[in-house]
Amino acid sequence: MARRLLSGPEMGALAGAIAVYALFYAVAPAFRQIDALSTMLYESSTLGIMAVAVALLMIGGEFDLSAGVAVVASALTASMFAFELTLNVWMGVLVALVFSLAIGAFNGILLIRTRLPSFLVTLGTFLMLQGLNVAITKAVTGNVTSQSIRDMDGFDQAEAVFASSFTLLDTRFRITVLWWLGFAALATWVLLRTRYGNWIFAVGGNRESARALGVPVTFVKISLFMVVGFAAWFVGMHQLFAYNTIPSNGGVGRELYFIAAAVIGGCLLTGGFGSIVGAVIGAFLFGMASQGIVYAGWESDWFLFFLGTMLLLATLLNQWIRSQATRR
C-alpha cells in the first residue's frame, strides 16, 4: 500500500509544494496571513483550470501550445460579438463557447488526419490565433483592446457566474477557486472511475494497441482537445468579466505554464501517466511561487528561474520516488 502511494504521479509535486510552502512561510511573514492564501489560490485557480484540462490531454499523449492564446481569443470573441451587434452578453458567451470548442476540434481532427505531432499542429494554431487576435481586434475596434461591455445587458449575471467573490473567515475569495476545485474533482472521477478515463490512459500509453483493443482513439483525441477548448473558454470568460476589456496580444507564453503545472504534477510528455490531483498541486505550487516571491521582497525577475527550478526538481524527484517504490 505504501509503495503504491509513493509511486503516485503527484508525489513529486506534493513534496515540492511542501518545500516551497515551508520556504516562504519561514522568510516572508506576510505569506502566513489568510489574505495571502486568498491571493495565492486565485492565482493558482486561473492557471489550474487550464492545467486540469491540459493534464487530461497530456495523459492522452498530446499537448496544446495554442491554449494560452485560445483563452484570449475566446474572450475577444464574446466581447466583440456582443458589443458590435449590441446583444445581451450571454449571446457572446455562447458564441465564444462554440468557437473555443471548434478550435479544439480543429486541432484534434487535423492531428488525426495528418498524423503530425501535436507540437506542430498546435504551434500552427497558436500562430494563427495570435495573428487573428491582434488583426481582427484592430480592424473591428480600431485599437488593440476590446471595447468595454460593463454597461451591456447580462453583464452582472455573467460576472456573478465567472468573476464574483465570496467571503470565508472574513476574507474574500474569488469564485474561480470553487470552479477550479469542482472541475478537478469531476476530472479525477472521470479519469479514475469511468471507461472514458481508461481510454485516456490506454490511448496515451500506446495508441495502436488501444485501437486494437477497440478503444475509439479518434473520439478520445478530438474530445480531449475540445476539453482544453472548453477550459480556455471558461478562463477567457473569467478574464472578460473580471477586467471588462481584453488586450488582444495577451496569452502568449501562458501555455508553457499550463504544461509546466501538469508536468510538475507528474504527467509524462510521452503520455499514459499522470493525475489531476498532481496538476492541482502543480498549479498551487505556481501560485505560491509567484506570490511568495512578492511577499518575500525578492525581485520578480527571479520568478521564471524559480519556476524552472521547481519544474526540474519536481520531475526528478517524481522519477526517483517511482524508481524507489517499484524497486524489487
Side-chain angles (χ1 to χ4, degrees), residues 194-262:
T194 69
R195 179 181 297 180
Y196 181 72
N198 292 332
W199 288 349
I200 294 174
F201 280 112
V203 169
N206 190 311
R207 179 167 64 178
E208 298 308 319
S209 296
R211 193 188 303 276
L213 292 173
V215 175
V217 173
T218 297
F219 167 75
V220 172
K221 294 281 189 181
I222 294 174
S223 62
L224 287 175
F225 276 105
M226 293 179 72
V227 167
V228 175
F230 173 83
W233 165 78
F234 192 92
V235 175
M237 294 307 98
H238 165 71
Q239 292 185 358
L240 175 61
F241 294 106
Y243 305 112
N244 188 28
T245 61
I246 300 293
S248 60
N249 59 354
V252 178
R254 293 288 293 177
E255 65 281 345
L256 298 181
Y257 294 166
F258 307 151
I259 295 171

Side-chain angles (χ1 to χ4, degrees), residues 45 49 52 175-190 276 280:
S45 65
I49 291 171
V52 166
I175 197 171
T176 50
V177 176
L178 298 181
W179 283 115
W180 172 39
L181 297 178
F183 287 145
L186 176 62
T188 299
W189 176 77
V190 169
I276 302 304
V280 169

Side-chain angles (χ1 to χ4, degrees), residues 47-68:
L47 171 74
I49 291 171
M50 288 300 302
V52 166
V54 169
L56 287 173
L57 180 64
M58 291 183 67
I59 294 170
E62 310 294 346
F63 59 93
D64 191 345
L65 291 178
S66 68

